[in-house]
Amino acid sequence: MIKLRNKIAPSLLSSDFANIESEVKKCENAGCDLLHIDIMDGHFVPNITIGPLVVSAIRPHTKLQLDCHLMISDPDKYVPEFVKAGADMISIHVEATHHLHRSIQLIKSFGVKAGIALNPITPLEYAINAAEYCDFIMLMAVNPGFGGQNFITSFLNRAKTLRNYLDNNGLDNVEIEVDGGVKLDNVLEIANAGANILVSGSGLFSGNFEDNVRNMKEILK
Ligand code: DX5
Ligand code: ZN
């Protein structure tokens, strides 16, 4: 069984959008592993953020992989735009598409990493059934739409169950991503539950960013 490497993924949602270039460089210089970008449409979630134009504006300023989290209805329609904008990883919500297998195949057809995201109480069966087609599975630990919400602790059992399933079924290379409420004081418990891609927005961007990243790396060692 392979042990997947822990990856720190700052969520740009909590960064300073007026200085996005320097925020992106800050993430790279601090030694983060990828950039998590939250795409919200005001329909699937009650908030609107950014679209492919901003992703393509970020692309030339970093070598880090861009992890685009699509919190949008009818994601298939926009996947090609995000690929063109420079996404390396794209996740879609299982609640937002009627034909999950088709949506995953669509993402893969462009040669980018395909992920699915599940809201906190969406049955884990979706992930279990889709796992063999996915590069990563994101379990939300908050209701999607906003940064700075409290971690929903039922995530921990869900991650353990999913990690066990993956490891016992020849899918140990499928990564588990956690999104929402990840902070210095709970990140170890979250990683021990089986998540290895650790998204954190307010947890990293509040206070001193570099110190927070350094401390998170230290905790995860
Ligand atoms: C929520 C977003 C998250 C958000 C996490 O809908 O998907 O990526 O930025 O923010 P924190 O880490 O502050 O909960
Ligand atoms: Zn997100």
PDB file of all heavy atoms in Angstrom, residues 11-14 36-40 45 69 71 93 138 140 142-151 179-183 199-204, ligand 1:
ATOM      1  N   SER A  11      -6.306  27.945  -0.106  1.00  0.00           N
ATOM      2  CA  SER A  11      -7.478  28.348  -0.888  1.00  0.00           C
ATOM      3  C   SER A  11      -7.406  29.850  -1.147  1.00  0.00           C
ATOM      4  O   SER A  11      -7.480  30.660  -0.220  1.00  0.00           O
ATOM      5  CB  SER A  11      -8.760  28.018  -0.123  1.00  0.00           C
ATOM      6  OG  SER A  11      -9.837  28.662  -0.767  1.00  0.00           O
ATOM      7  N   LEU A  12      -7.289  30.204  -2.416  1.00  0.00           N
ATOM      8  CA  LEU A  12      -7.133  31.618  -2.769  1.00  0.00           C
ATOM      9  C   LEU A  12      -8.344  32.460  -2.410  1.00  0.00           C
ATOM     10  O   LEU A  12      -8.276  33.683  -2.408  1.00  0.00           O
ATOM     11  CB  LEU A  12      -6.838  31.753  -4.267  1.00  0.00           C
ATOM     12  CG  LEU A  12      -5.448  31.292  -4.727  1.00  0.00           C
ATOM     13  CD1 LEU A  12      -5.292  31.536  -6.221  1.00  0.00           C
ATOM     14  CD2 LEU A  12      -4.333  32.006  -3.966  1.00  0.00           C
ATOM     15  N   LEU A  13      -9.453  31.791  -2.085  1.00  0.00           N
ATOM     16  CA  LEU A  13     -10.654  32.524  -1.689  1.00  0.00           C
ATOM     17  C   LEU A  13     -10.375  33.472  -0.521  1.00  0.00           C
ATOM     18  O   LEU A  13     -10.981  34.540  -0.417  1.00  0.00           O
ATOM     19  CB  LEU A  13     -11.750  31.514  -1.306  1.00  0.00           C
ATOM     20  CG  LEU A  13     -13.148  32.040  -1.039  1.00  0.00           C
ATOM     21  CD1 LEU A  13     -13.719  32.715  -2.286  1.00  0.00           C
ATOM     22  CD2 LEU A  13     -14.088  30.917  -0.596  1.00  0.00           C
ATOM     23  N   SER A  14      -9.443  33.087   0.342  1.00  0.00           N
ATOM     24  CA  SER A  14      -9.121  33.931   1.497  1.00  0.00           C
ATOM     25  C   SER A  14      -7.959  34.879   1.220  1.00  0.00           C
ATOM     26  O   SER A  14      -7.481  35.561   2.133  1.00  0.00           O
ATOM     27  CB  SER A  14      -8.759  33.061   2.711  1.00  0.00           C
ATOM     28  OG  SER A  14      -9.891  32.361   3.153  1.00  0.00           O
ATOM     29  N   HIS A  36      -5.498  26.054  -4.574  1.00  0.00           N
ATOM     30  CA  HIS A  36      -6.909  25.689  -4.642  1.00  0.00           C
ATOM     31  C   HIS A  36      -7.714  26.928  -5.044  1.00  0.00           C
ATOM     32  O   HIS A  36      -7.630  27.972  -4.393  1.00  0.00           O
ATOM     33  CB  HIS A  36      -7.352  25.172  -3.271  1.00  0.00           C
ATOM     34  CG  HIS A  36      -8.758  24.682  -3.221  1.00  0.00           C
ATOM     35  ND1 HIS A  36      -9.123  23.406  -3.628  1.00  0.00           N
ATOM     36  CD2 HIS A  36      -9.903  25.287  -2.830  1.00  0.00           C
ATOM     37  CE1 HIS A  36     -10.432  23.254  -3.476  1.00  0.00           C
ATOM     38  NE2 HIS A  36     -10.937  24.384  -2.988  1.00  0.00           N
ATOM     39  N   ILE A  37      -8.462  26.799  -6.122  1.00  0.00           N
ATOM     40  CA  ILE A  37      -9.208  27.944  -6.639  1.00  0.00           C
ATOM     41  C   ILE A  37     -10.702  27.622  -6.639  1.00  0.00           C
ATOM     42  O   ILE A  37     -11.135  26.635  -7.249  1.00  0.00           O
ATOM     43  CB  ILE A  37      -8.736  28.303  -8.069  1.00  0.00           C
ATOM     44  CG1 ILE A  37      -7.204  28.483  -8.094  1.00  0.00           C
ATOM     45  CG2 ILE A  37      -9.423  29.563  -8.560  1.00  0.00           C
ATOM     46  CD1 ILE A  37      -6.642  28.829  -9.462  1.00  0.00           C
ATOM     47  N   ASP A  38     -11.465  28.437  -5.939  1.00  0.00           N
ATOM     48  CA  ASP A  38     -12.892  28.181  -5.747  1.00  0.00           C
ATOM     49  C   ASP A  38     -13.734  28.918  -6.771  1.00  0.00           C
ATOM     50  O   ASP A  38     -13.766  30.150  -6.800  1.00  0.00           O
ATOM     51  CB  ASP A  38     -13.293  28.607  -4.328  1.00  0.00           C
ATOM     52  CG  ASP A  38     -12.736  27.648  -3.294  1.00  0.00           C
ATOM     53  OD1 ASP A  38     -13.011  26.446  -3.404  1.00  0.00           O
ATOM     54  OD2 ASP A  38     -12.012  28.103  -2.390  1.00  0.00           O
ATOM     55  N   ILE A  39     -14.432  28.142  -7.569  1.00  0.00           N
ATOM     56  CA  ILE A  39     -15.266  28.688  -8.636  1.00  0.00           C
ATOM     57  C   ILE A  39     -16.734  28.551  -8.214  1.00  0.00           C
ATOM     58  O   ILE A  39     -17.216  27.429  -8.047  1.00  0.00           O
ATOM     59  CB  ILE A  39     -15.051  27.883  -9.955  1.00  0.00           C
ATOM     60  CG1 ILE A  39     -13.560  27.603 -10.236  1.00  0.00           C
ATOM     61  CG2 ILE A  39     -15.769  28.537 -11.115  1.00  0.00           C
ATOM     62  CD1 ILE A  39     -12.709  28.809 -10.492  1.00  0.00           C
ATOM     63  N   MET A  40     -17.405  29.662  -8.025  1.00  0.00           N
ATOM     64  CA  MET A  40     -18.800  29.622  -7.543  1.00  0.00           C
ATOM     65  C   MET A  40     -19.693  30.424  -8.472  1.00  0.00           C
ATOM     66  O   MET A  40     -19.310  31.508  -8.930  1.00  0.00           O
ATOM     67  CB  MET A  40     -18.887  30.225  -6.140  1.00  0.00           C
ATOM     68  CG  MET A  40     -17.962  29.579  -5.130  1.00  0.00           C
ATOM     69  SD  MET A  40     -18.266  30.228  -3.475  1.00  0.00           S
ATOM     70  CE  MET A  40     -16.863  29.540  -2.583  1.00  0.00           C
ATOM     71  N   VAL A  45     -24.166  27.225  -5.454  1.00  0.00           N
ATOM     72  CA  VAL A  45     -23.878  27.744  -4.106  1.00  0.00           C
ATOM     73  C   VAL A  45     -24.306  29.211  -4.034  1.00  0.00           C
ATOM     74  O   VAL A  45     -24.333  29.891  -5.067  1.00  0.00           O
ATOM     75  CB  VAL A  45     -22.369  27.642  -3.743  1.00  0.00           C
ATOM     76  CG1 VAL A  45     -21.949  26.214  -3.467  1.00  0.00           C
ATOM     77  CG2 VAL A  45     -21.494  28.255  -4.823  1.00  0.00           C
ATOM     78  N   HIS A  69     -11.838  24.001  -8.134  1.00  0.00           N
ATOM     79  CA  HIS A  69     -12.982  23.394  -7.454  1.00  0.00           C
ATOM     80  C   HIS A  69     -14.246  24.049  -8.009  1.00  0.00           C
ATOM     81  O   HIS A  69     -14.549  25.192  -7.662  1.00  0.00           O
ATOM     82  CB  HIS A  69     -12.822  23.633  -5.938  1.00  0.00           C
ATOM     83  CG  HIS A  69     -13.961  23.164  -5.108  1.00  0.00           C
ATOM     84  ND1 HIS A  69     -14.109  23.567  -3.793  1.00  0.00           N
ATOM     85  CD2 HIS A  69     -15.004  22.339  -5.371  1.00  0.00           C
ATOM     86  CE1 HIS A  69     -15.200  23.000  -3.288  1.00  0.00           C
ATOM     87  NE2 HIS A  69     -15.766  22.262  -4.227  1.00  0.00           N
ATOM     88  N   MET A  71     -17.797  24.747  -8.072  1.00  0.00           N
ATOM     89  CA  MET A  71     -19.064  24.720  -7.330  1.00  0.00           C
ATOM     90  C   MET A  71     -20.095  25.392  -8.219  1.00  0.00           C
ATOM     91  O   MET A  71     -20.561  26.501  -7.948  1.00  0.00           O
ATOM     92  CB  MET A  71     -18.903  25.456  -5.994  1.00  0.00           C
ATOM     93  CG  MET A  71     -18.104  24.659  -4.969  1.00  0.00           C
ATOM     94  SD  MET A  71     -17.464  25.691  -3.639  1.00  0.00           S
ATOM     95  CE  MET A  71     -15.965  26.287  -4.416  1.00  0.00           C
ATOM     96  N   HIS A  93     -18.882  18.799  -8.408  1.00  0.00           N
ATOM     97  CA  HIS A  93     -19.720  18.265  -7.336  1.00  0.00           C
ATOM     98  C   HIS A  93     -20.658  17.191  -7.871  1.00  0.00           C
ATOM     99  O   HIS A  93     -21.284  17.374  -8.917  1.00  0.00           O
ATOM    100  CB  HIS A  93     -20.527  19.395  -6.683  1.00  0.00           C
ATOM    101  CG  HIS A  93     -19.805  19.993  -5.523  1.00  0.00           C
ATOM    102  ND1 HIS A  93     -20.050  19.621  -4.225  1.00  0.00           N
ATOM    103  CD2 HIS A  93     -18.803  20.897  -5.485  1.00  0.00           C
ATOM    104  CE1 HIS A  93     -19.232  20.284  -3.420  1.00  0.00           C
ATOM    105  NE2 HIS A  93     -18.466  21.071  -4.161  1.00  0.00           N
ATOM    106  N   MET A 138     -12.799  14.719  -3.195  1.00  0.00           N
ATOM    107  CA  MET A 138     -12.808  15.780  -2.200  1.00  0.00           C
ATOM    108  C   MET A 138     -14.037  15.622  -1.310  1.00  0.00           C
ATOM    109  O   MET A 138     -15.169  15.578  -1.801  1.00  0.00           O
ATOM    110  CB  MET A 138     -12.839  17.146  -2.888  1.00  0.00           C
ATOM    111  CG  MET A 138     -13.009  18.275  -1.911  1.00  0.00           C
ATOM    112  SD  MET A 138     -12.207  19.745  -2.466  1.00  0.00           S
ATOM    113  CE  MET A 138     -13.071  20.025  -3.970  1.00  0.00           C
ATOM    114  N   MET A 140     -16.112  17.506   1.412  1.00  0.00           N
ATOM    115  CA  MET A 140     -16.283  18.831   2.011  1.00  0.00           C
ATOM    116  C   MET A 140     -16.461  18.674   3.515  1.00  0.00           C
ATOM    117  O   MET A 140     -17.183  17.781   3.979  1.00  0.00           O
ATOM    118  CB  MET A 140     -17.529  19.526   1.440  1.00  0.00           C
ATOM    119  CG  MET A 140     -17.491  19.818  -0.055  1.00  0.00           C
ATOM    120  SD  MET A 140     -16.130  20.862  -0.579  1.00  0.00           S
ATOM    121  CE  MET A 140     -16.400  22.355   0.377  1.00  0.00           C
ATOM    122  N   VAL A 142     -17.308  21.553   5.169  1.00  0.00           N
ATOM    123  CA  VAL A 142     -18.248  22.667   5.402  1.00  0.00           C
ATOM    124  C   VAL A 142     -19.249  22.613   4.245  1.00  0.00           C
ATOM    125  O   VAL A 142     -19.008  21.930   3.248  1.00  0.00           O
ATOM    126  CB  VAL A 142     -17.553  24.065   5.393  1.00  0.00           C
ATOM    127  CG1 VAL A 142     -16.536  24.191   6.518  1.00  0.00           C
ATOM    128  CG2 VAL A 142     -16.908  24.368   4.043  1.00  0.00           C
ATOM    129  N   ASN A 143     -20.327  23.355   4.386  1.00  0.00           N
ATOM    130  CA  ASN A 143     -21.223  23.508   3.237  1.00  0.00           C
ATOM    131  C   ASN A 143     -20.570  24.494   2.283  1.00  0.00           C
ATOM    132  O   ASN A 143     -20.192  25.600   2.696  1.00  0.00           O
ATOM    133  CB  ASN A 143     -22.588  24.025   3.697  1.00  0.00           C
ATOM    134  CG  ASN A 143     -23.297  23.006   4.552  1.00  0.00           C
ATOM    135  OD1 ASN A 143     -23.592  21.904   4.097  1.00  0.00           O
ATOM    136  ND2 ASN A 143     -23.536  23.338   5.810  1.00  0.00           N
ATOM    137  N   PRO A 144     -20.417  24.113   1.018  1.00  0.00           N
ATOM    138  CA  PRO A 144     -19.659  24.974   0.111  1.00  0.00           C
ATOM    139  C   PRO A 144     -20.319  26.333  -0.095  1.00  0.00           C
ATOM    140  O   PRO A 144     -21.537  26.464  -0.012  1.00  0.00           O
ATOM    141  CB  PRO A 144     -19.637  24.170  -1.201  1.00  0.00           C
ATOM    142  CG  PRO A 144     -20.793  23.245  -1.112  1.00  0.00           C
ATOM    143  CD  PRO A 144     -20.962  22.928   0.351  1.00  0.00           C
ATOM    144  N   GLY A 145     -19.502  27.325  -0.322  1.00  0.00           N
ATOM    145  CA  GLY A 145     -20.022  28.661  -0.606  1.00  0.00           C
ATOM    146  C   GLY A 145     -19.228  29.782   0.030  1.00  0.00           C
ATOM    147  O   GLY A 145     -19.153  30.868  -0.517  1.00  0.00           O
ATOM    148  N   PHE A 146     -18.623  29.501   1.162  1.00  0.00           N
ATOM    149  CA  PHE A 146     -17.930  30.574   1.882  1.00  0.00           C
ATOM    150  C   PHE A 146     -16.689  30.039   2.590  1.00  0.00           C
ATOM    151  O   PHE A 146     -16.671  28.886   3.016  1.00  0.00           O
ATOM    152  CB  PHE A 146     -18.858  31.206   2.927  1.00  0.00           C
ATOM    153  CG  PHE A 146     -20.131  31.727   2.323  1.00  0.00           C
ATOM    154  CD1 PHE A 146     -21.270  30.932   2.268  1.00  0.00           C
ATOM    155  CD2 PHE A 146     -20.172  33.001   1.755  1.00  0.00           C
ATOM    156  CE1 PHE A 146     -22.439  31.393   1.673  1.00  0.00           C
ATOM    157  CE2 PHE A 146     -21.328  33.471   1.157  1.00  0.00           C
ATOM    158  CZ  PHE A 146     -22.468  32.672   1.116  1.00  0.00           C
ATOM    159  N   GLY A 147     -15.704  30.909   2.738  1.00  0.00           N
ATOM    160  CA  GLY A 147     -14.554  30.580   3.560  1.00  0.00           C
ATOM    161  C   GLY A 147     -14.870  30.863   5.020  1.00  0.00           C
ATOM    162  O   GLY A 147     -15.902  31.457   5.340  1.00  0.00           O
ATOM    163  N   GLY A 148     -14.015  30.410   5.894  1.00  0.00           N
ATOM    164  CA  GLY A 148     -14.110  30.773   7.306  1.00  0.00           C
ATOM    165  C   GLY A 148     -15.218  30.097   8.099  1.00  0.00           C
ATOM    166  O   GLY A 148     -15.580  30.560   9.179  1.00  0.00           O
ATOM    167  N   GLN A 149     -15.750  28.991   7.624  1.00  0.00           N
ATOM    168  CA  GLN A 149     -16.793  28.291   8.382  1.00  0.00           C
ATOM    169  C   GLN A 149     -16.159  27.226   9.287  1.00  0.00           C
ATOM    170  O   GLN A 149     -14.999  26.849   9.111  1.00  0.00           O
ATOM    171  CB  GLN A 149     -17.775  27.613   7.426  1.00  0.00           C
ATOM    172  CG  GLN A 149     -18.432  28.546   6.424  1.00  0.00           C
ATOM    173  CD  GLN A 149     -19.397  27.780   5.535  1.00  0.00           C
ATOM    174  OE1 GLN A 149     -20.523  27.500   5.913  1.00  0.00           O
ATOM    175  NE2 GLN A 149     -18.942  27.417   4.342  1.00  0.00           N
ATOM    176  N   ASN A 150     -16.994  26.731  10.219  1.00  0.00           N
ATOM    177  CA  ASN A 150     -16.491  25.729  11.157  1.00  0.00           C
ATOM    178  C   ASN A 150     -16.443  24.341  10.530  1.00  0.00           C
ATOM    179  O   ASN A 150     -17.360  23.947   9.806  1.00  0.00           O
ATOM    180  CB  ASN A 150     -17.380  25.666  12.408  1.00  0.00           C
ATOM    181  CG  ASN A 150     -17.194  26.901  13.256  1.00  0.00           C
ATOM    182  OD1 ASN A 150     -16.135  27.548  13.216  1.00  0.00           O
ATOM    183  ND2 ASN A 150     -18.228  27.264  14.005  1.00  0.00           N
ATOM    184  N   PHE A 151     -15.397  23.636  10.866  1.00  0.00           N
ATOM    185  CA  PHE A 151     -15.187  22.255  10.433  1.00  0.00           C
ATOM    186  C   PHE A 151     -16.316  21.354  10.934  1.00  0.00           C
ATOM    187  O   PHE A 151     -16.652  21.368  12.120  1.00  0.00           O
ATOM    188  CB  PHE A 151     -13.835  21.790  11.008  1.00  0.00           C
ATOM    189  CG  PHE A 151     -13.436  20.401  10.656  1.00  0.00           C
ATOM    190  CD1 PHE A 151     -12.944  20.105   9.397  1.00  0.00           C
ATOM    191  CD2 PHE A 151     -13.545  19.382  11.588  1.00  0.00           C
ATOM    192  CE1 PHE A 151     -12.563  18.808   9.071  1.00  0.00           C
ATOM    193  CE2 PHE A 151     -13.162  18.082  11.276  1.00  0.00           C
ATOM    194  CZ  PHE A 151     -12.668  17.800  10.015  1.00  0.00           C
ATOM    195  N   ASP A 179     -11.747  19.883   2.296  1.00  0.00           N
ATOM    196  CA  ASP A 179     -11.973  21.309   2.042  1.00  0.00           C
ATOM    197  C   ASP A 179     -12.959  21.872   3.052  1.00  0.00           C
ATOM    198  O   ASP A 179     -14.106  21.425   3.131  1.00  0.00           O
ATOM    199  CB  ASP A 179     -12.517  21.483   0.613  1.00  0.00           C
ATOM    200  CG  ASP A 179     -12.532  22.944   0.174  1.00  0.00           C
ATOM    201  OD1 ASP A 179     -11.973  23.796   0.888  1.00  0.00           O
ATOM    202  OD2 ASP A 179     -13.116  23.216  -0.895  1.00  0.00           O
ATOM    203  N   GLY A 180     -12.484  22.865   3.824  1.00  0.00           N
ATOM    204  CA  GLY A 180     -13.359  23.562   4.758  1.00  0.00           C
ATOM    205  C   GLY A 180     -12.957  23.399   6.198  1.00  0.00           C
ATOM    206  O   GLY A 180     -12.878  22.282   6.707  1.00  0.00           O
ATOM    207  N   GLY A 181     -12.642  24.517   6.833  1.00  0.00           N
ATOM    208  CA  GLY A 181     -12.387  24.502   8.278  1.00  0.00           C
ATOM    209  C   GLY A 181     -11.083  23.859   8.696  1.00  0.00           C
ATOM    210  O   GLY A 181     -10.904  23.511   9.862  1.00  0.00           O
ATOM    211  N   VAL A 182     -10.144  23.708   7.756  1.00  0.00           N
ATOM    212  CA  VAL A 182      -8.859  23.087   8.106  1.00  0.00           C
ATOM    213  C   VAL A 182      -7.926  24.148   8.689  1.00  0.00           C
ATOM    214  O   VAL A 182      -7.654  25.179   8.067  1.00  0.00           O
ATOM    215  CB  VAL A 182      -8.200  22.439   6.864  1.00  0.00           C
ATOM    216  CG1 VAL A 182      -6.867  21.807   7.240  1.00  0.00           C
ATOM    217  CG2 VAL A 182      -9.138  21.418   6.232  1.00  0.00           C
ATOM    218  N   LYS A 183      -7.463  23.888   9.901  1.00  0.00           N
ATOM    219  CA  LYS A 183      -6.622  24.851  10.625  1.00  0.00           C
ATOM    220  C   LYS A 183      -5.434  24.111  11.235  1.00  0.00           C
ATOM    221  O   LYS A 183      -5.395  22.884  11.236  1.00  0.00           O
ATOM    222  CB  LYS A 183      -7.418  25.482  11.778  1.00  0.00           C
ATOM    223  CG  LYS A 183      -8.762  26.073  11.386  1.00  0.00           C
ATOM    224  CD  LYS A 183      -8.654  27.569  11.248  1.00  0.00           C
ATOM    225  CE  LYS A 183      -9.949  28.299  11.214  1.00  0.00           C
ATOM    226  NZ  LYS A 183     -10.772  28.476  10.156  1.00  0.00           N
ATOM    227  N   VAL A 199      -6.755  21.410   1.961  1.00  0.00           N
ATOM    228  CA  VAL A 199      -7.103  22.773   1.547  1.00  0.00           C
ATOM    229  C   VAL A 199      -7.308  23.609   2.806  1.00  0.00           C
ATOM    230  O   VAL A 199      -7.967  23.169   3.750  1.00  0.00           O
ATOM    231  CB  VAL A 199      -8.408  22.774   0.714  1.00  0.00           C
ATOM    232  CG1 VAL A 199      -8.833  24.205   0.380  1.00  0.00           C
ATOM    233  CG2 VAL A 199      -8.236  21.950  -0.560  1.00  0.00           C
ATOM    234  N   SER A 200      -6.722  24.793   2.807  1.00  0.00           N
ATOM    235  CA  SER A 200      -6.968  25.686   3.941  1.00  0.00           C
ATOM    236  C   SER A 200      -6.956  27.125   3.451  1.00  0.00           C
ATOM    237  O   SER A 200      -6.015  27.555   2.782  1.00  0.00           O
ATOM    238  CB  SER A 200      -5.887  25.469   5.015  1.00  0.00           C
ATOM    239  OG  SER A 200      -6.115  26.349   6.104  1.00  0.00           O
ATOM    240  N   GLY A 201      -8.032  27.838   3.769  1.00  0.00           N
ATOM    241  CA  GLY A 201      -8.150  29.236   3.370  1.00  0.00           C
ATOM    242  C   GLY A 201      -7.861  30.141   4.540  1.00  0.00           C
ATOM    243  O   GLY A 201      -6.727  30.597   4.752  1.00  0.00           O
ATOM    244  N   SER A 202      -8.889  30.383   5.363  1.00  0.00           N
ATOM    245  CA  SER A 202      -8.700  31.287   6.502  1.00  0.00           C
ATOM    246  C   SER A 202      -7.633  30.752   7.458  1.00  0.00           C
ATOM    247  O   SER A 202      -6.921  31.533   8.101  1.00  0.00           O
ATOM    248  CB  SER A 202     -10.029  31.512   7.230  1.00  0.00           C
ATOM    249  OG  SER A 202     -10.632  30.270   7.527  1.00  0.00           O
ATOM    250  N   GLY A 203      -7.487  29.446   7.536  1.00  0.00           N
ATOM    251  CA  GLY A 203      -6.481  28.848   8.426  1.00  0.00           C
ATOM    252  C   GLY A 203      -5.062  29.272   8.072  1.00  0.00           C
ATOM    253  O   GLY A 203      -4.205  29.350   8.946  1.00  0.00           O
ATOM    254  N   LEU A 204      -4.801  29.525   6.800  1.00  0.00           N
ATOM    255  CA  LEU A 204      -3.450  29.936   6.389  1.00  0.00           C
ATOM    256  C   LEU A 204      -3.336  31.438   6.185  1.00  0.00           C
ATOM    257  O   LEU A 204      -2.307  32.044   6.494  1.00  0.00           O
ATOM    258  CB  LEU A 204      -3.042  29.213   5.093  1.00  0.00           C
ATOM    259  CG  LEU A 204      -2.823  27.700   5.194  1.00  0.00           C
ATOM    260  CD1 LEU A 204      -2.481  27.109   3.824  1.00  0.00           C
ATOM    261  CD2 LEU A 204      -1.717  27.352   6.191  1.00  0.00           C
TER     262      LEU A 204
HETATM  263  C1  DX5 B   1     -15.776  26.686   0.488  1.00  0.00           C
HETATM  264  C2  DX5 B   1     -14.538  26.554  -0.361  1.00  0.00           C
HETATM  265  C3  DX5 B   1     -13.292  26.394   0.383  1.00  0.00           C
HETATM  266  C4  DX5 B   1     -12.953  27.574   1.266  1.00  0.00           C
HETATM  267  C5  DX5 B   1     -12.269  27.025   2.469  1.00  0.00           C
HETATM  268  O1  DX5 B   1     -16.873  26.590  -0.314  1.00  0.00           O
HETATM  269  O2  DX5 B   1     -14.668  25.447  -1.239  1.00  0.00           O
HETATM  270  O3  DX5 B   1     -12.197  26.076  -0.463  1.00  0.00           O
HETATM  271  O4  DX5 B   1     -12.119  28.514   0.672  1.00  0.00           O
HETATM  272  O5  DX5 B   1     -12.058  28.053   3.355  1.00  0.00           O
HETATM  273  P1  DX5 B   1     -11.679  27.806   4.872  1.00  0.00           P
HETATM  274  O6  DX5 B   1     -10.404  27.026   4.863  1.00  0.00           O
HETATM  275  O7  DX5 B   1     -11.540  29.174   5.421  1.00  0.00           O
HETATM  276  O8  DX5 B   1     -12.802  27.021   5.475  1.00  0.00           O
END
